[in-house]
Each structure stands twice: as C-alpha cells, then as structure tokens.
Amino acid sequence: MNLFKSSIVALACASLFACNSTPKIIATERDGSANISEAQAMARSSVVSEVNYQLSFNLTGESHFSAITKVDFNLSSNKEPLTLDLNQATISKLTINGKGIYPNYNDAYISINSQLLSNGKNTIEVEYSREHSTNGEGLHRFVDPVDDKVYLYSHFEPAAAQQMFAVFDQPDLKATYQITVNAPKDWSVISTMRESNIEEQADSNLWTFPVTPKLSPYNFSMHAGPYHIWEDNSGKYPMRLFARQSVAEQVTAEDWFTYTKQGLTFFDDYFGIDYPFKKYDQLLVPDFLYGAMENAGAITFAENRFMYKDTMTAAQRQRLAGVIMHEMAHQWFGDLVTMKWWNGLWLNESFASFMGTLATSEATEFSHAWRTFYATGKQSAYRQDSLVTTHPIEVPVPTSMNAFDNIDAITYSKGASTLKQLRHLLGEDTFQLGVQQYLTKYSYQNATLDDFIGSLSQASNRDLSQWTQDWLYQAGVNTLKAEYSCANDRVSEFALIQTAPSDALPTLREQRVQVALFDATRYSIHQGPKVAVTYKGERTEVPELIGSHCPNLVYPNFEDWGYVKVELDERSFETAKQQLSKVSDPLLRSMLWQSMWDSVSDGKTSLKQYINVALVNAPLEKDYTILGQVIGNLKQAQYYLDSMAPNHKAYAVKVGKALTQMSLRMAMEHRDNADFQRRWFDAYVSLASSQHALDHLADLLEGNATITGLNISQDLRWKIIIKLNQYDYPQSGLIAIEEKHRDLSDSGQKSAIAAEVIRPQARSKRQWLHTIENDTDMPFSKLRVAMNYLYPSEQKLLSAATAEQRLANIAEVDKKGPVFMRAYNRRLIPTACTNANIAAINQVLDTETGLSKMTRRALLETRQKEQRCVKISEMLTH
C-alpha cells in the first residue's frame, strides 16, 4: 500500500475510461518495498503452488511477539529467485530445505537464491520476532486504559499478513494454515478454525488448531486476549461473540446472535452451499481502521461503530444487521471464492453490499433496507460518480499498494446498484442460478470478473459483453428525465431522455426501470399507471403511457430499480415542492426529497428553497429512514452556511436558530418514541450554535434541565461536551477534563481528545497539528480523532491560519503512507468556500508532481467541492 516503483507499459487507450483490459505489465525485480506489482505477483504464482503454512506464535502481552513460520510449497521452476514476504521482523534463523542459511533480508521480504530450491516440493522455515502493530494492520496490540488488559487482533487486507508471518502475500496463492499459539492462561485465542486442543503449560496455555481450508492470506486471521465470550448453539452453526471485558456490558449479544442466525439461514438457502467454515465467531475490537473485516470464520468489527453506552436506536440496530449480513456474504463471495488480483476487489465489495442489503430486507425485521440503501449508500455513489475523479467500477491495480486507491462508494454502492439492476434485467431466479453456479464451480479457488459474468451469461443464455463494457468499464452516472406532452388532459407523447454527464464520459447505458404517473389533489397524491421500461440510447419512447390522464407528477425510476440520477420535469418538481408531505409512498417521498437536494448540489436551485421546504415538511415526516436522510442534508446545508460566513453570516445565524428550535421542539414532542426523539436530539446537538442553545445543552448536562423521555447517556454527555468546547463555552474545558477522569474507557479518552482539539484556540490548534504531522509515539487511533475534530466548518479563521502550512507540508506528510493519509486527506486538506482556496489547491496540484495517487485524488475532489460551495454561495444572493 506504499508507492511502489515498477515497470508499467502505458495503456494505449483513447481515454482514461475507454480501457477494459488489464494493462500490459513487465515484471521486474522488486525494489525493496513491502509492495508487489501485479506482474511480479503473477510471476510468483505461475511457479508456486500447493502452499501450506504451519505457524507457531508465542504471545506474552508485551510489545513484541516471537514466531516460527514453516511454509511448504511446490515449485515448477527454480530458474528465477523467489521472495517470501516478511515485514519489519528480526530473523533469528532461516532454514531452506533443511539447510541453515544466512537470510538475504531487507525488512520487507526474504530473497531466496534459486539454487537452494528444488523443482517440486520445498520447505522454508523462519524463526523471528516482531513488534506488534499499533496502526490497525498486522497483529495489532491494544492496552485497555480501564484495566490494563492486553488485546490482540489481526487485520491483513490488502497485504499486511506479512506483518505477522512469512508469507506469499497475494490473493491468488491460496493456502492452508495450521497454527499453534502459546498465550497467557487467561487469554482466549480465536482463528478460522475452532481450537482442537488447549494444553496447560507452567505459565501459559498452548492452543492447537486444525488445518484450515484453502484461503487467501488476507482472509486468514488470529486474535487473542482475555476477551469476554458469549455463545449461542441454537442454530445450525455454533456462534460466539467476543468483546473486551471492560466494555462487555455495552454489548447486546441477543441482537448479534439473532441477526447472525437469520443471515446464515438466508445465505445457505440463497447460495445453495452450506456455510463453509463450520463455526461463526465475531469480535468487537478497538482501534479498527474500517467498519468490519470478513476474516474467514472470525469476523472483526470496529467497537466505535457497533458499541453504545445507551440502548441502540432502530438505525443502529439496522446498521448492525446490515454489516453482519455484508461480512457474512463475503464468507462465500470473497473467502470461499476469491478474486485473483486486487482489480477484483470491487466485485467482492459490491456483491457483499448487494447481498447484505437483500438479506437484511428479506431475513430481518428491517424490510425497508433498500430504502435505507437508496438514502445513504446510493447517494454516496451518485456523489462520488459525479466528481472529476470518478472511475470505472473495474480498474487496473498496478501494485498491492494501489489496492485501495479506488475503494470508495463507486466500489461498494454503485457496484451493488449495478448488480441490483442486472438482477432486474435478467430476472431474480436467473441471477440467483448464475451466482450459485459461479460459487460451486470456483469454490476454494480464485476467479475473475470474466468468470462471474460468464456464469451469469450461461444461466441467462444472454451475451453480457456490452452490458459489462458499459457498466463496469465506463465511468459516470447518467441522468434520466421524462419528456411528455398532454392534449385534452391526456398524455399524447411520452419518452425517456437519457443524457451522459459530459463529453468526456459519453456512455449511454441500457437498464430496466419503472415509470409511474401521479395525480395530485388538495389532500393527497394518487398513483396512476406504472410501466416497466427497458431503455437505452438518448431517447426511448413509452407508448404504453399515451392516453393516460395528464399527470401532476412523473417519476421515471419508480421503486429505484435503476442506477441513474433523476431530473424531474418542471411540473413534477413544483408538485413535489408544494405537496411533499402528501406523498404516501415512503420510497417515492424519499426520492423526491433527494431530487430537491440534488437540485441544490447541481446549482439549479437556491439553498434557501430547500431549507424553506425542509422547515415546513421535516416536522411532518413520520418515516424514520427519511427523517435521517433529511436531517443529514440539513446538516450539510448548515456546513455550507458555516463555510460561507461572513458572506451570509446573518442568514446563517437565522437558519441555525430555526433548525435548532425545530430539532428541539421535535425531540420534546417525540417523548413517547425513543428512536425519533434520539434522531431529533442528535440533530439538535449537531446544529446548536446560539448562546441560548448552548446554555440549554449545559443545563441538560448538569441536570438543571430535562427533556421528558430522553436519557442523557455517557455517549450523549460527550457529544454535548464536545459541542460546548467547540464554541468555547464557559468552563467547558474544565468540564471535559473532569469527564475524562470519570470516564476512563477508551471511547472516553478519545472523546476527551476530541473536546480538547475542537476548542477554538489558535495555539492549541498549531500544537495539535504539529503532533498529527510529527508525533510517531501517539497511537494512530488517537491521531485520527484529532484530525477529525481539529477544524470544524465554522472555525474558518483558525483553519486559514494553518492552511498554507498544511498545503506546504502535504508532500512530506504524504510519505507517511496510505493508512495515515486516508484520515489526513479526509479532514485536513484546507476548505474555505473561496476562490482563493481553490487557487491555493491548484498551486499544489501544479507544483507537487510526486504526490501519491490517493493524495492527488483527494486534492482534486476537495477543489471540486470547494467550487460547488462557491456556486451555492453565489446562488444565495440571487
């Protein structure tokens, strides 16, 4: 995942998005980094096969661990040197085919003289020690601040298994793993398989595990520590749940087991293949880099996203169910069948996103899961696909360090939407049959996109080559609009008009959608005719609708079959704006809300219009999912207004006051509905900025005021404290320090950092920025918190004070690598909603030619978002 220098032949393509083949890559000797190019990986897998690992670990809880890796493999040719990956270890012994060798080792991989290897079976044994990781990769070590207990977990994607053991660290060298682990007596050890024996030693226990099925290195895992354990054997497969002891009371194990059982039953049936890993373990772990990871049989989840100090809301429970289903789908699609190289990672994630949502909607209480997907994931995909950095779903990945360069909402949600559309195009049963045939044919193997599409083509008896070209190898999101005319109150002409986003992205696609007509009355909106249409090209006539009553509202992607941005015709837009609350269909209402927000983002409607509609209609919204969507857009509106100040300061203050008053009023009115009350109260805290609102929050914190039905939990206490510190409320710094002493938990300590960092004090900001850019001792998880809270949108002047410094330092900071830069780029590239800031970003883009692809992309996206903010600001004055 660091920059890797390889010899790559330039693509001979007319444009960036016209390529649909893997680039021709010439394999060269590795350059000493931990990364490997696709060509080098393919060269290695062309001669290496039948890999088996025997791994022995000695864990003490201290900062280092020691281990032995024994790897058996077949070699078809020993004419070229071979490398074995092992990152930042101290090797004490290396044996090759029984002969002791002084290691030719560069801290990234062991180079093995081909003369020491045989055609046929070989054995390499490495004894070594290594420091535990603290950045969420490799074998991560965490010390609980509450009780000083030590917890370990592994995370290997995309290529970090080498940070724990010697390995051919690439997905197409699947292998079996047999491990033994010596660990403290009060520890549990968890891996892909359930342990076969635990032998008591004098001061430790020796855990032995059976041989695993064949897995790619990034799908294997090992976790250890004094975890609290819940067990449930009521289903077809034994289930366990693990969490740190100090946070165990925050875990609602029944929910986890309920959703897990529902998912396993659903997927066994849908895939037609029994769950392949026999037992189902799930672990809540601290400092995790992502939401969750699909390690075969031992899935890890981020504590901070799935653990709460209050009763879970409906949204939190749905999110839990959805992520459980997503990672579970990976057990088949990703673990059982794995992509050959990292260009196939999108298919893993897209398919898991699609299947996770399908399972959540059909197997759990959250039957509205697709509506949530539309309002959240799909909107993220539309936004990402509309940026200058958009990319095809399938893209070349030159090296392992580039594996995550294009992992974004296009990878997850656009891909999932595309698969959903393909399911409509082929038919549900045909799609399912193709998936089953694919999984059966390639079980415990690696496969490619062509293999997947081939299985669907065979099942449907349809050539999908053009579909694949248009949807997977071309970037951008199309727009769909209904064009119709009426005579004598009847539709006389009706067509769907498809447009491409730009001349650079000209592709027009084929897909199947539903078109629905609606009539509006004073009190309601009634659905009229609805037809399914497969459209393609610029214009598709819809003769079935001719003669229908002339509608007040037309929606050309009814029930959200298609991946396409809808542009409402003028009459429909006015109907939606005036009668939004009268639309009874919740998905349609959600889509109409979104159309109005899109018109703001696209610069076609003033932000004032959206806010005015929201102030009238948001309090009337009775659907929990839509309410979350609307509040999210209102928070973005407030962000724009904060960013625009002082240009629109008076208006921003007025809107802020109106939004906070509305949020508080609705939180008080929903005293009998905890989910709605929490959603509105969270909005109140987030939007609060006036003295009156801050005074009220301080009173709630101290118990001098109450809201009937609302429990001010520890999580809410910290949200309020952080908000008070954001505005330097009197004594707020002291309040945060006192709360830190009361709440010794990891989440409490990180919240205390957030409260300190967010304070509007220039000297403190500079000190924290220096810490972020230069401190190598502070755990990355805490640095990431500091990055997230350093410059909130309304602290424009404080951000401006270091903006030049941040841009000047970005090339040096970029050397810290992708894990660090993913967090840094998200929050610390300067934003100001000004043309001057756009010019400053342009200067960096023009002069810093050596930036990583990830950071250059982040600068381009920030510039475009700044341009959008300026345009929205300018429209406020019209």
Side-chain angles (χ1 to χ4, degrees):
M1 293 176 70
N2 295 315
L3 279 176
F4 179 72
K5 184 169 59 180
S6 62
S7 177
I8 303 178
V9 177
L11 298 176
C13 300
S15 73
L16 176 63
F17 305 112
C19 306
N20 66 348
S21 60
T22 302
K24 183 179 179 182
I25 305 177
I26 301 173
T28 61
E29 289 187 11
R30 297 178 67 176
D31 70 345
S33 76
N35 304 295
I36 189 169
S37 74
E38 180 182 11
Q40 292 159 350
M42 296 307 105
R44 185 160 67 176
S45 61
S46 71
V47 296
V48 173
S49 62
E50 298 302 318
V51 183
N52 304 286
Y53 295 100
Q54 295 180 46
L55 308 174
S56 177
F57 298 98
N58 185 47
L59 309 175
T60 64
E62 299 301 320
S63 61
H64 287 71
F65 66 93
S66 58
I68 301 173
T69 295
K70 181 181 178 182
V71 53
D72 297 320
F73 59 96
N74 284 348
L75 195 66
S76 62
S77 171
N78 65 344
K79 293 181 180 180
E80 299 294 334
L82 188 69
T83 59
L84 185 67
D85 306 307
L86 181 63
N87 187 276
Q88 299 293 321
T90 300
I91 298 175
S92 55
K93 183 178 180 181
L94 173 65
T95 304
I96 301 177
N97 290 330
K99 183 178 181 180
I101 301 295
Y102 185 81
N104 180 6
Y105 178 56
N106 65 355
D107 278 346
Y109 51 83
I110 303 166
S111 297
I112 301 166
N113 190 323
S114 60
Q115 295 180 358
L116 300 173
L117 301 171
S118 305
N119 282 343
K121 186 175 181 180
N122 292 269
T123 300
I124 299 175
E125 189 167 327
V126 189
E127 294 186 23
Y128 60 97
S129 62
R130 192 192 190 280
E131 190 171 359
H132 283 286
S133 301
T134 57
N135 70 342
E137 294 187 311
L139 188 56
H140 181 93
R141 178 177 179 267
F142 176 85
V143 181
D144 193 319
V146 174
D147 53 20
D148 292 327
K149 295 183 184 296
V150 175
Y151 295 87
L152 312 178
Y153 65 85
S154 69
H155 180 81
F156 297 153
E157 190 180 33
Q162 60 190 276
Q163 295 184 35
M164 191 171 117
F165 58 95
V167 57
F168 299 118
D169 209 350
Q170 60 190 74
D172 67 333
L173 278 175
K174 284 198 166 188
T176 63
Y177 304 79
Q178 194 278 316
I179 66 170
T180 57
V181 181
N182 196 59
K185 283 186 174 294
D186 62 336
W187 282 23
S188 295
V189 181
I190 306 98
S191 188
T192 299
M193 308 296 287
R194 193 75 172 258
E195 69 277 2
S196 54
N197 188 52
I198 306 174
E199 180 183 339
E200 290 194 17
Q201 311 279 347
D203 298 314
S204 61
N205 287 338
L206 182 65
W207 295 65
T208 302
F209 294 80
V211 177
T212 70
K214 281 191 173 184
L215 294 170
S216 293
Y218 82 93
N219 295 139
F220 176 69
S221 66
M222 187 273 286
H223 324 287
Y227 286 98
H228 185 91
I229 307 171
W230 297 264
E231 295 192 57
D232 187 325
N233 296 309
S234 62
K236 185 176 179 180
Y237 309 101
M239 299 178 293
R240 294 187 298 180
L241 179 64
F242 299 80
R244 290 187 292 124
Q245 292 184 31
S246 66
V247 296
E249 64 180 17
Q250 298 175 38
V251 178
T252 309
E254 313 88 75
D255 287 339
W256 285 80
F257 289 137
T258 296
Y259 302 141
T260 302
K261 278 192 291 186
Q262 289 170 337
L264 287 167
T265 299
F266 177 85
F267 286 123
D268 270 2
D269 177 68
Y270 190 92
F271 293 138
I273 298 173
D274 281 354
Y275 168 66
F277 303 112
K278 309 306 179 187
K279 56 88 178 176
Y280 208 88
D281 289 340
Q282 298 173 107
L283 298 92
L284 283 152
V285 296
D287 292 352
F288 205 60
L289 289 173
Y290 312 104
M293 177 62 201
E294 66 267 19
N295 313 305
I299 300 91
T300 40
F301 294 79
E303 277 184 358
N304 65 330
R305 299 194 188 187
F306 302 101
M307 192 174 287
Y308 311 97
K309 296 175 181 177
D310 197 358
T311 303
M312 280 198 294
T313 65
Q316 291 164 345
R317 291 197 310 277
Q318 183 181 343
R319 183 183 185 188
L320 172 61
V323 177
I324 286 175
M325 299 303 175
H326 178 106
E327 305 306 327
M328 191 179 292
H330 273 311
Q331 303 300 302
W332 285 265
F333 208 107
D335 295 2
L336 179 66
V337 180
T338 313
M339 77 265 164
K340 185 175 179 63
W341 181 244
W342 296 109
N343 62 307
L345 183 57
W346 77 267
L347 184 55
N348 281 3
E349 297 302 345
S350 295
F351 190 84
S353 296
F354 167 76
M355 287 302 308
T357 308
L358 182 66
T360 304
S361 67
E362 296 190 8
T364 76
E365 69 207 74
F366 305 108
S367 57
H368 59 282
W370 282 116
R371 288 203 289 111
T372 304
F373 175 81
Y374 168 81
T376 53
K378 200 166 191 177
Q379 298 313 313
S380 297
Y382 287 149
R383 288 192 295 272
Q384 191 74 46
D385 214 8
S386 301
L387 294 175
V388 292
T389 53
T390 187
H391 56 85
I393 294 176
E394 169 89 4
V395 292
V397 178
T399 77
S400 57
M401 79 94 187
N402 300 116
F404 284 174
D405 281 356
N406 291 306
I407 297 301
D408 53 26
I410 292 174
T411 307
Y412 283 77
S413 297
K414 180 180 180 179
S417 302
T418 300
L419 292 174
K420 182 185 179 189
Q421 167 60 210
L422 183 58
R423 182 171 178 249
H424 283 298
L425 201 62
L426 301 182
E428 295 180 8
D429 293 341
T430 300
F431 182 85
Q432 182 179 0
L433 176 62
V435 169
Q436 290 179 345
Q437 291 175 346
Y438 170 78
L439 292 174
T440 300
K441 183 175 182 179
Y442 297 104
S443 288
Y444 302 106
Q445 300 176 62
N446 296 92
T448 65
L449 173 62
D450 287 345
D451 296 325
F452 178 67
I453 295 297
S455 295
L456 294 176
S457 294
Q458 184 178 7
S460 63
N461 194 29
R462 173 173 172 159
D463 182 358
L464 292 173
S465 56
Q466 188 61 51
W467 182 93
T468 302
Q469 173 67 30
D470 291 346
W471 282 101
L472 305 182
Y473 290 110
Q474 305 299 328
V477 54
N478 298 111
T479 298
L480 187 65
K481 183 177 182 179
E483 183 178 279
Y484 61 97
S485 57
C486 297
N488 299 320
D489 206 28
R490 296 288 172 180
V491 175
S492 56
E493 292 181 281
F494 199 106
L496 294 178
I497 308 301
Q498 180 183 194
T499 54
S502 67
D503 292 340
L505 301 171
T507 302
L508 297 177
R509 298 171 171 87
E510 176 188 2
Q511 62 177 326
R512 191 165 178 80
V513 297
Q514 292 184 112
V515 182
L517 311 186
F518 298 87
D519 294 321
T521 67
R522 183 178 178 183
Y523 300 105
S524 63
I525 291 181
H526 301 288
Q527 183 184 324
K530 176 183 72 174
V531 296
V533 180
T534 299
Y535 73 86
K536 56 184 177 181
E538 293 182 6
R539 183 182 182 91
T540 301
E541 300 291 339
V542 188
E544 300 95 321
L545 292 176
I546 294 177
S548 302
H549 186 268
C550 191
N552 298 100
L553 170 68
V554 176
Y555 202 83
N557 186 24
F558 187 59
E559 296 182 340
D560 194 36
W561 286 13
Y563 179 81
V564 64
K565 289 187 73 172
V566 169
E567 181 181 348
L568 293 177
D569 63 273
E570 187 174 341
R571 178 169 175 159
S572 295
F573 189 88
E574 284 302 311
T575 299
K577 188 169 67 173
Q578 299 298 328
Q579 305 197 54
L580 185 60
S581 63
K582 298 173 185 175
V583 178
S584 60
D585 183 317
L587 178 55
L588 177 62
R589 197 162 69 252
S590 174
M591 292 189 289
L592 295 176
W593 270 110
Q594 192 59 46
S595 290
M596 285 186 288
W597 178 252
D598 288 343
S599 69
V600 175
S601 299
D602 295 340
K604 297 175 181 178
T605 303
S606 169
L607 183 61
K608 286 183 179 179
Q609 287 193 44
Y610 182 86
I611 290 172
N612 290 339
V613 171
L615 286 171
V616 172
N617 288 279
L620 304 176
E621 187 54 65
K622 303 302 181 185
D623 184 90
Y624 183 69
T625 300
I626 298 175
L627 179 61
Q629 173 189 0
V630 174
I631 288 175
N633 288 337
L634 286 174
K635 289 179 180 178
Q636 182 64 32
Q638 186 67 62
Y639 167 83
Y640 281 137
L641 291 174
D642 288 340
S643 300
M644 294 170 191
N647 297 2
H648 305 286
K649 186 173 183 179
Y651 179 67
V653 170
K654 179 181 177 182
V655 169
K657 183 178 180 181
L659 293 178
T660 52
Q661 287 177 343
M662 176 181 70
S663 300
L664 176 59
R665 183 178 78 252
M666 298 310 297
M668 296 173 72
E669 287 184 10
H670 284 287
R671 57 185 175 275
D672 296 326
N673 187 318
D675 288 327
F676 271 79
Q677 185 176 60
R678 276 288 304 278
R679 182 149 271 179
W680 277 114
F681 185 75
D682 284 345
Y684 176 55
V685 176
S686 177
L687 296 166
S689 60
S690 68
Q691 186 65 44
H692 179 76
L694 296 174
D695 287 343
H696 183 229
L697 288 175
D699 285 341
L700 289 169
L701 188 70
E702 297 301 321
N704 297 326
T706 60
I707 296 176
T708 304
L710 182 70
N711 172 41
I712 305 295
S713 66
Q714 185 62 63
D715 290 336
L716 279 181
R717 287 185 63 82
W718 274 118
K719 285 183 180 180
I720 294 171
I721 290 169
I722 292 168
K723 173 59 66 170
L724 294 176
N725 277 271
Q726 182 176 343
Y727 288 92
D728 198 17
Y729 189 82
Q731 302 300 310
S732 57
L734 180 61
I735 292 171
I737 293 172
E738 291 174 346
E739 197 74 17
K740 177 182 178 181
H741 291 311
R742 281 195 294 266
D743 182 6
L744 300 177
S745 68
D746 177 56
S747 62
Q749 302 307 293
K750 289 171 180 170
S751 294
I753 290 175
E756 180 181 346
V757 167
I758 207 170
R759 292 181 61 77
Q761 297 173 349
R763 182 178 179 183
S764 175
K765 299 282 187 189
R766 289 187 178 276
Q767 290 173 340
W768 270 107
L769 181 61
H770 183 271
T771 297
I772 290 166
E773 294 182 346
N774 299 284
D775 194 329
T776 57
D777 295 325
M778 180 174 284
F780 176 67
S781 60
K782 293 183 177 180
L783 290 176
R784 188 166 55 173
V785 171
M787 293 183 209
N788 287 341
Y789 287 90
L790 190 57
Y791 293 115
S793 59
E794 86 286 348
Q795 293 180 4
K796 283 171 59 71
L797 294 179
L798 290 168
S799 177
T802 63
E804 184 176 348
Q805 173 190 339
R806 281 178 276 155
L807 289 175
N809 292 350
I810 198 165
E812 187 65 28
V813 176
D814 195 33
K815 297 175 183 177
K816 290 179 177 289
V819 171
F820 182 91
M821 292 308 293
R822 267 193 298 275
Y824 188 94
N825 290 338
R826 191 178 299 119
R827 295 294 186 182
L828 292 184
I829 294 177
T831 58
C833 199
T834 63
N835 287 314
N837 192 57
I838 294 170
I841 294 173
N842 283 336
Q843 177 72 14
V844 176
L845 287 167
D846 291 342
T847 58
E848 298 292 352
T849 57
L851 292 172
S852 67
K853 181 179 178 181
M854 176 186 293
T855 295
R856 186 167 188 83
R857 171 179 165 169
L859 285 163
L860 288 167
E861 291 179 355
T862 302
R863 180 181 67 181
Q864 186 176 1
K865 291 171 183 175
E866 286 284 273
Q867 291 167 339
R868 174 178 292 170
C869 186
V870 169
K871 186 174 183 179
I872 292 173
S873 177
E874 290 172 348
M875 284 200 69
L876 272 178
T877 61
H878 297 314

